[in-house]
Amino acid sequence: MSVMSSNRPITTDLIARENASRATTLTADYESLTIQLQRRGIDIESVTSAVQGFRVAIPSWGVGTGGTRFARFPGIGEPRNVFEKLEDCSVIHALSGTTPTVSLHLPWDRTTDYAELRECARALGLGFDAVNSNTFQDQRGQPHSYKFGGLTHTDAAVRDQAIEHNLECIRIGGLLGAKALTLWIGDGANFPGQQHFARAYERYLESAARIYAGLPHDWRLLIEHKMYEPAFYATVIQDWGSSLLAAQTLGPKAFCLVDLGHHAPHVNIEMIVARLVHARRLGGFHFNDSKYGDDDLDAGSIDPYRLFLIFNELVDAAIRRVPDFLPVHMLDQSHNVTDPIESLMTSAIELTRAYAQALLVDRAALAGFQDENDALMATQTLKRAFTTDVGPILARARERAGAAIDPVATFRASAHRTTVSSRRPPVASSGGGIV
């Protein structure tokens, strides 16, 4: 194999040794929180069990050092191919206990033997989530350029090329055991008058329909929207409305994917989630955070309350047993100044934190205050859950899953970066770009 996949980078002995030094403190904190929650009528064990079952996929591109449009600064021992990416993803799962699948991006993660890749993942304790296509970037040797779009290009030959690439992604995903294709396009216009809005959207629907027809019966198409970039004046699939219209047009296997960075500042993302839940078209998420736009920052690093409010809607939908409600959770981040493994672990933890907090919401009290139009008490009910320190629940869930009580500290104790750096020489780069 391309890496020593039979030997997992993080050993159970290391985790056990690190956990032993923190077990007494965790027990005391967990018991204290148990008493607090009992007074509120909450069974801590049911919350811990739910948290232990939470899953989020790691983006293969996320374990490499990201960057900005101006520069990229390669990290020590960063992965150079998909097999080494899987190795780092296995580190994240071993320590966090909540990231058993990887979302690949093609053709970045293309290889010559997908049976070998699937076996490598299996040996590392991993599986595969949605595959991502790429028609926003020209690849060496391709006959047609995506400079002016892919699936919506005015030239049918370019559209055919983009469609065939997506169908290839489906075929590769099938070999790996994936069950979904994430469809994001950068098509649009940078100048008024450059593009006929209606015809571009119609071409998108025609192209997407051909991709949809190639889906296996048990697959889903996840349509991702983005407000801007690289098309800054007008993007073809620019918001959740365009995404929803496309999904409803294509058929029951098409759903909407919500990336937290792909919205205008101050947009009510939790309400968008609620609307997509109502339409039975919420397919999943690309979790990250932003300060100004599509920053791809670590999840929960800027606005943890918004993350909690999104999970509040998800927990509410699950309690109401909304039909066709099975959203997938994936991270989509770029790491320029932090270790990608550490950032992805802490992001996964922030998702479980928001989920645990949402499980603490007193639903009966909240419904009562809403019916009585008691705005203050309704919002205080949410705040009470959000301000509860659920750290002991998360740590106990990880411990029971055989993961690390303190993932970052255990990762640093493993010296993983130093270990792999000898066989992963640095790749010099002075270019820009997010990956």
Side-chain angles (χ1 to χ4, degrees):
M1 290 189 178
S2 299
V3 296
M4 295 299 293
S5 59
S6 59
N7 297 317
R8 300 189 184 186
I10 302 297
T11 66
T12 55
D13 287 345
L14 169 67
I15 294 175
R17 185 167 60 252
E18 290 292 316
N19 282 356
S21 65
R22 298 172 174 87
T24 301
T25 300
L26 173 58
T27 297
D29 291 345
Y30 192 78
E31 290 176 350
S32 176
L33 182 58
T34 298
I35 295 171
Q36 294 179 47
L37 295 181
Q38 280 177 342
R39 289 197 293 265
R40 293 158 57 177
I42 298 172
D43 175 26
I44 194 173
E45 286 299 321
S46 63
V47 177
T48 304
S49 178
V51 168
Q52 193 173 333
F54 182 82
R55 297 291 181 262
V56 57
I58 293 295
S60 64
W61 60 97
V63 293
T65 304
T68 69
R69 291 172 186 81
F70 304 103
R72 176 179 177 273
F73 304 96
I76 298 173
E78 68 176 321
R80 302 159 300 167
N81 56 57
V82 66
F83 291 92
E84 292 177 352
K85 290 177 183 179
L86 290 183
E87 188 176 20
D88 283 2
C89 288
S90 75
V91 172
I92 297 169
H93 181 48
L95 295 174
S96 71
T98 194
T99 61
T101 55
V102 180
S103 185
L104 295 186
H105 211 301
L106 300 167
W108 296 339
D109 295 321
R110 185 177 282 151
T111 186
T112 57
D113 190 337
Y114 291 101
E116 178 190 27
L117 185 63
R118 187 170 185 174
E119 174 56 27
C120 173
R122 186 203 62 77
L124 291 168
L126 300 171
F128 292 95
D129 212 288
V131 290
N132 300 259
S133 61
N134 181 337
T135 59
F136 56 85
Q137 182 184 57
D138 288 348
Q139 305 299 322
R140 184 177 302 172
Q142 74 179 46
H144 305 289
S145 174
Y146 295 131
K147 180 177 181 178
F148 295 107
L151 295 180
T152 71
H153 201 285
T154 53
D155 187 340
V158 181
R159 299 198 300 273
D160 289 343
Q161 175 182 274
I163 292 166
E164 175 51 37
H165 168 64
N166 278 276
L167 294 175
E168 178 196 27
C169 290
I170 294 172
R171 291 192 293 269
I172 292 173
L175 295 174
L176 297 173
K179 295 294 182 182
L181 171 70
T182 297
L183 186 63
W184 176 77
I185 61 170
D187 299 29
N190 280 294
F191 293 92
Q194 176 185 338
Q195 185 180 68
H196 192 287
F197 294 154
R199 291 187 194 128
Y201 191 66
E202 289 164 2
R203 289 193 293 268
Y204 173 84
L205 293 175
E206 291 170 0
S207 298
R210 290 170 59 186
I211 297 169
Y212 183 91
L215 292 172
H217 71 92
D218 57 347
W219 272 53
R220 296 197 296 170
L221 182 67
L222 304 177
I223 301 173
E224 182 177 3
H225 69 269
K226 189 173 187 178
M227 185 182 178
Y228 64 90
E229 190 191 41
F232 283 89
Y233 169 65
T235 299
V236 176
I237 305 295
Q238 88 286 3
D239 60 16
W240 69 276
S242 297
S243 175
L244 177 58
L245 284 172
Q248 291 173 329
T249 300
L250 291 172
K253 292 188 289 187
F255 293 83
C256 302
L257 186 143
V258 177
D259 185 305
L260 268 61
H262 291 188
H263 306 267
H266 315 303
V267 165
N268 193 327
I269 300 177
E270 55 268 29
M271 179 174 279
I272 293 173
V273 170
R275 294 293 181 263
L276 292 176
V277 168
H278 172 77
R280 301 184 184 180
R281 294 287 177 159
L282 179 64
F285 296 86
H286 273 177
F287 284 107
N288 48 52
D289 212 335
S290 65
K291 177 66 175 177
Y292 299 106
D294 186 20
D295 304 333
D296 274 352
L297 303 177
D298 292 11
S301 62
I302 302 295
D303 195 347
Y305 191 51
R306 181 176 66 182
L307 187 61
F308 160 77
L309 293 174
I310 289 170
F311 271 94
N312 178 59
E313 296 298 328
L314 298 180
V315 170
D316 175 77
I319 291 173
R320 292 187 290 115
R321 300 183 182 276
V322 174
D324 303 317
F325 180 72
L326 192 63
V328 294
H329 303 123
M330 294 174 280
L331 294 172
D332 181 10
Q333 302 176 177
S334 181
H335 315 102
N336 193 27
V337 296
T338 60
D339 187 301
I341 289 179
E342 294 185 355
S343 274
L344 288 166
M345 284 194 302
T346 54
S347 292
I349 291 170
E350 288 307 302
L351 263 60
T352 58
R353 186 185 311 280
Y355 178 47
Q357 290 166 333
L359 291 171
L360 300 184
V361 173
D362 188 333
R363 299 287 158 183
L366 179 62
F369 294 134
Q370 290 170 339
D371 289 343
E372 296 165 4
N373 297 307
D374 192 335
L376 180 67
M377 291 308 298
T379 197
Q380 286 298 309
T381 300
L382 291 180
K383 276 292 183 71
R384 187 182 190 191
F386 174 69
T387 56
T388 302
D389 180 9
V390 296
I393 292 176
L394 310 186
R396 181 65 85 200
R398 290 194 297 271
E399 181 191 45
R400 290 177 180 175
I405 292 175
D406 188 332
V408 172
T410 305
F411 171 69
R412 294 189 174 190
S414 74
H416 173 72
R417 285 294 178 206
T418 303
T419 301
V420 299
S421 64
S422 60
R423 56 182 171 84
R424 296 185 190 175
V427 179
S429 174
S430 59
I434 63 169
V435 293

